Amino acid sequence: QVQLVESGGGLVQPGGSLRLSCAASGSIFNTLLMGWYRQAPGKQRELVATIAQTGSTNYADSVKGRFTISRDNAKNTMYLQMNSLKPEDTAVYYCNYKVLHIVLNDYWGQGTQVTVSS
């Protein structure tokens, strides 16, 4: 079993910064891909950024150059550094681990609310 817990969300002003954390526990040795997703009211969930076991990263065009995804394997924690935040970044942010346990399984955190407003 894998459990993910997001933290770090909150209210920030436009142009501000926020650092989200995703703490993982359980059997995550065979994680193939980690990522951050977000969902705003009335919109579909969208991929924000991913990081693979190799360290290779991928970003949505809307956040490229502003957000940075990283991980600390020793702490079993994934991060999303969010800079130059815009009101359109307001959403619930979810972390996701794709873990191979004979078959591939998706694990989701509960989400953390990010609100960007003046």
Side-chain angles (χ1 to χ4, degrees), residues 21-67:
S21 298
C22 175
S25 62
S27 300
I28 60 172
F29 181 79
N30 286 325
T31 298
L32 301 184
L33 192 70
M34 297 160 278
W36 287 95
Y37 295 74
R38 67 185 182 187
Q39 187 167 26
K43 297 181 64 178
Q44 291 185 324
R45 182 179 61 190
E46 65 175 347
L47 178 65
V48 177
T50 61
I51 183 166
Q53 284 188 334
T54 60
S56 179
T57 58
N58 182 259
Y59 298 91
D61 288 341
S62 60
V63 307
K64 194 171 298 182
R66 300 187 297 120
F67 292 9

Side-chain angles (χ1 to χ4, degrees), residues 62-76:
S62 60
V63 307
K64 194 171 298 182
R66 300 187 297 120
F67 292 9
T68 302
I69 188 171
S70 63
R71 70 183 192 276
D72 186 333
N73 290 333
K75 296 180 179 180
N76 291 333

Side-chain angles (χ1 to χ4, degrees), residues 57-97:
T57 58
N58 182 259
Y59 298 91
D61 288 341
S62 60
V63 307
K64 194 171 298 182
R66 300 187 297 120
F67 292 9
T68 302
I69 188 171
S70 63
R71 70 183 192 276
D72 186 333
N73 290 333
K75 296 180 179 180
N76 291 333
T77 302
M78 179 177 63
Y79 305 95
L80 185 68
Q81 179 66 47
M82 309 163 67
N83 298 326
S84 302
L85 283 162
K86 304 174 181 179
E88 50 263 45
D89 294 319
T90 297
V92 177
Y93 285 71
Y94 300 90
C95 66
N96 171 266
Y97 276 45

